[in-house]
Amino acid sequence: MNHLFSPRLPDPTLAAFDSPIGHLTLAARSGALVGVWARGQRFFGCPVSIDEAVAASLEILPSRAGSGGEPRGVTGEDAAALTAAASWLEQYFAGENPSPARLHITPEGTHFQKRVWEAMARIPYGHTRTYSQIAAQLREAGVAASPRAVGGAVGRNPLLIVRPCHRVVAAGGLGGYAAGAEAKAWLFEHEAATASSIG
């Protein structure tokens, strides 16, 4: 009997980022950003197996306004990916609309999840789409999708904020959010307040 296996990927390099919605954990592997999670988030660290207790003890990345530089003890391409992600997040929380295309990202997920995450990435800053709208969009592209399946993929988005799952809402309200309703409401208000100033 033949057994298929893939070589074990290296553990991701981690860093912490202090944000208005709480402590964020950033993960990079092979020079690409693979995760951004909020403390206490549902599916924290999935699918790259990050332990939330370990993440809670990480040193906060220095801000651009502070000393700058890379995370202490981390060098090379992962450090560059983490520093770029921190810079991107700083711009986002400052009310700018930085392009995710600036970041090298390689989120791990199923083919269907990746299609949903790509659809989320196309939702403009300050706008929303419903689970049903994304499901319809995927069906038009030949991908079998239901609002419930879309909701499951949105909840497992490993790149919080970078892939804007907070912009996906229920038909009758905000809907769920893996990082919590309070964080989703904050992000909505933040984008509503700053969208008109972004040209």
Side-chain angles (χ1 to χ4, degrees):
M1 180 180 206
N2 291 332
H3 294 283
L4 297 177
F5 70 95
S6 57
R8 187 178 184 282
L9 293 169
D11 288 337
T13 303
L14 305 178
F17 181 87
D18 196 21
S19 84
I21 63 165
H23 182 97
L24 301 179
T25 298
L26 315 181
R29 177 188 280 147
S30 302
L33 187 67
V34 296
V36 177
W37 302 277
R39 183 173 287 164
Q41 178 179 330
R42 195 177 35 189
F43 307 117
F44 183 97
C46 292
V48 293
S49 302
I50 306 298
D51 185 289
E52 191 166 3
V54 170
S57 66
L58 293 170
E59 182 179 334
I60 301 289
L61 280 168
S63 69
R64 287 184 298 170
S67 59
E70 295 179 335
R72 191 164 51 193
V74 180
T75 57
E77 56 187 7
D78 284 354
L82 293 170
T83 301
S87 175
W88 189 96
L89 288 165
E90 284 178 349
Q91 288 183 302
Y92 174 84
F93 286 117
E96 300 172 32
N97 182 19
S99 171
R102 287 183 16 207
L103 301 175
H104 178 43
I105 60 173
T106 57
E108 297 176 24
T110 66
H111 176 72
F112 178 76
Q113 287 171 342
K114 289 179 180 178
R115 292 297 297 266
V116 171
W117 301 338
E118 289 162 7
M120 288 184 328
R122 291 190 291 272
I123 304 172
Y125 186 96
H127 292 76
T128 62
R129 298 287 182 275
T130 65
Y131 301 104
S132 295
Q133 287 172 322
I134 291 178
Q137 179 184 335
L138 291 173
R139 288 194 302 271
E140 286 174 14
V143 178
S146 69
R148 182 178 295 253
V150 167
V154 168
R156 286 170 175 78
N157 170 32
L159 289 168
L160 200 70
I161 304 166
V162 174
R163 285 281 168 94
C165 48
H166 60 278
R167 296 179 192 156
V168 184
V169 298
L174 281 183
Y177 191 53
E182 194 173 303
K184 187 168 190 173
W186 190 95
L187 293 166
F188 260 65
E189 290 172 17
H190 172 69
E191 292 193 8
T194 56
S196 62
S197 66
I198 294 171

